[in-house]
Amino acid sequence: MQYSGWPEPGELVVGEIDEIADFGVFVDLDEYENKRGLCHISEVASGWIKNVRDHVREGQTVVAKVLDVDESSQQIDLSIKDVNEHQRKEKIQEWKNEQKADNWMLLALGEDVSDDRYSTVANALLAEHDSLYDAFESAAIHGEDALADVDLDDDVVETIVETARENVSVPYVNVTGYVDLESFDPDGVDRLKEALQAAEGNGDVPDEVELTVSYVGSPEYRIQVKAPDYKTAEDQLEAAAERARESIEATGGSGEFHRERREDDE
């Protein structure tokens, strides 16, 4: 997807060097339709430059900072030297992510989708998400709930979710905690099973979360949570331990949550 407008001063852009002159380099902007910028020799690299070709080459992909935009003269002034390594890597990754999202859009809408149809769906997603990549990643994690506020027909939402879950590699984090459960009830084994079932959520754990409970050694049980981010993982871990504690204490038993395994059980 390419933007039809103009970049803003201060914005970082990705482009390909297509012409090198004595006074600087011309850069085709990959993210903007039919837009070309000029990076003056003084903005190519720090220090005195004898030969521009010692620093850049034709066909090279670069990240540049937009210094000035003059729409009336169709001129975009760029600086390559003002972009540090961290900014360059971050922008390149963002650009690559959007290329992936563009491919996912074509998978969802069809290779022969019209530009107008593509733009309509893309703009609807961008109205609720920071980027197309973010929209697809959220759809892969949260399903249709991630697109609940997006102004699209249900069949389009379903197609996007299906495409996202087939193609997006979702980042996950893992957290572990422990809960001690003791029952003094004559049917203590059943009470413990009920507490463990409560910890596992009885089917109410969100789809994007994997939660398992395993036996470590009496009275200790391990709770492991796999989730898209640490906050969700931690919240689900604590909620699982709390469900187990409430269940066992409701029948006269005791429960205690702790993050590390008991040393004397090692």
Side-chain angles (χ1 to χ4, degrees):
M1 178 182 179
Q2 289 185 313
Y3 301 113
S4 58
W6 293 79
E8 296 287 335
E11 181 180 342
L12 297 183
V13 293
V14 177
E16 181 178 310
I17 295 176
D18 74 329
E19 184 181 345
I20 298 178
D22 291 339
F23 56 84
V25 298
F26 290 94
V27 182
D28 281 336
L29 304 188
D30 290 345
E31 299 161 292
Y32 287 87
E33 188 175 16
N34 300 319
K35 296 297 186 294
R36 192 187 197 210
L38 171 64
C39 181
H40 188 267
I41 187 172
S42 63
E43 295 294 335
V44 171
S46 299
W48 182 73
I49 298 176
K50 180 179 180 180
N51 189 337
V52 182
R53 293 181 183 275
D54 291 337
H55 300 273
V56 293
R57 66 183 185 280
E58 291 175 350
Q60 179 181 351
T61 296
V62 297
V63 176
K65 181 179 181 180
V66 178
L67 298 178
D68 189 42
V69 176
D70 188 338
E71 295 183 29
S72 62
S73 62
Q74 302 282 298
Q75 184 170 325
I76 301 172
D77 294 329
L78 304 172
S79 173
I80 295 174
K81 75 174 185 181
D82 281 356
V83 180
N84 62 41
E85 186 62 17
H86 173 74
Q87 291 173 319
R88 189 191 70 79
K89 288 182 177 180
E90 191 173 65
K91 180 61 183 180
I92 287 292
Q93 186 58 57
E94 176 188 312
W95 173 64
K96 288 181 177 179
N97 286 345
E98 287 310 292
Q99 288 183 312
K100 291 180 183 179
D102 182 55
N103 289 331
W104 297 334
M105 285 283 286
L106 296 179
L107 287 174
L109 302 177
E111 292 284 348
D112 58 349
V113 63
S114 68
D115 290 343
D116 287 344
R117 176 61 173 161
Y118 184 108
S119 295
T120 297
V121 175
N123 288 334
L125 293 172
L126 291 172
E128 299 295 335
H129 295 271
D130 293 336
S131 66
L132 291 180
Y133 185 87
D134 176 61
F136 273 90
E137 186 176 68
S138 296
I141 295 171
H142 302 291
E144 294 181 10
D145 288 345
L147 307 180
D149 296 328
V150 176
D151 186 19
L152 292 173
D153 294 337
D154 291 344
D155 59 334
V156 178
V157 169
E158 291 175 7
T159 301
I160 290 174
V161 170
E162 181 180 350
T163 302
R165 287 187 161 166
E166 289 177 353
N167 294 278
V168 180
S169 298
V170 178
Y172 277 92
V173 298
N174 296 279
V175 297
T176 300
Y178 299 85
V179 62
D180 293 345
L181 301 173
E182 292 185 281
S183 175
F184 311 107
D185 190 281
D187 296 320
V189 173
D190 291 335
R191 303 293 85 81
L192 285 171
K193 287 182 178 178
E194 292 169 358
L196 295 176
Q197 289 174 349
E200 292 176 341
N202 293 316
D204 292 332
V205 175
D207 291 341
E208 69 269 20
V209 174
E210 293 181 19
L211 191 154
T212 58
V213 182
S214 57
Y215 178 70
V216 176
S218 183
E220 194 173 29
Y221 296 84
R222 179 187 293 110
I223 303 174
Q224 294 177 298
V225 178
K226 181 179 179 182
D229 57 78
Y230 277 107
K231 184 179 187 308
T232 300
E234 293 288 350
D235 288 347
Q236 290 297 320
L237 175 61
E238 293 176 8
E242 182 63 14
R243 289 193 298 267
R245 187 190 65 77
E246 290 179 350
S247 176
I248 201 70
E249 290 184 357
T251 59
S254 65
E256 180 187 358
F257 172 62
H258 50 99
R259 291 307 305 263
E260 303 296 332
R261 187 177 176 187
R262 301 299 190 193
E263 291 185 7
D264 56 5
D265 287 332
E266 296 291 347

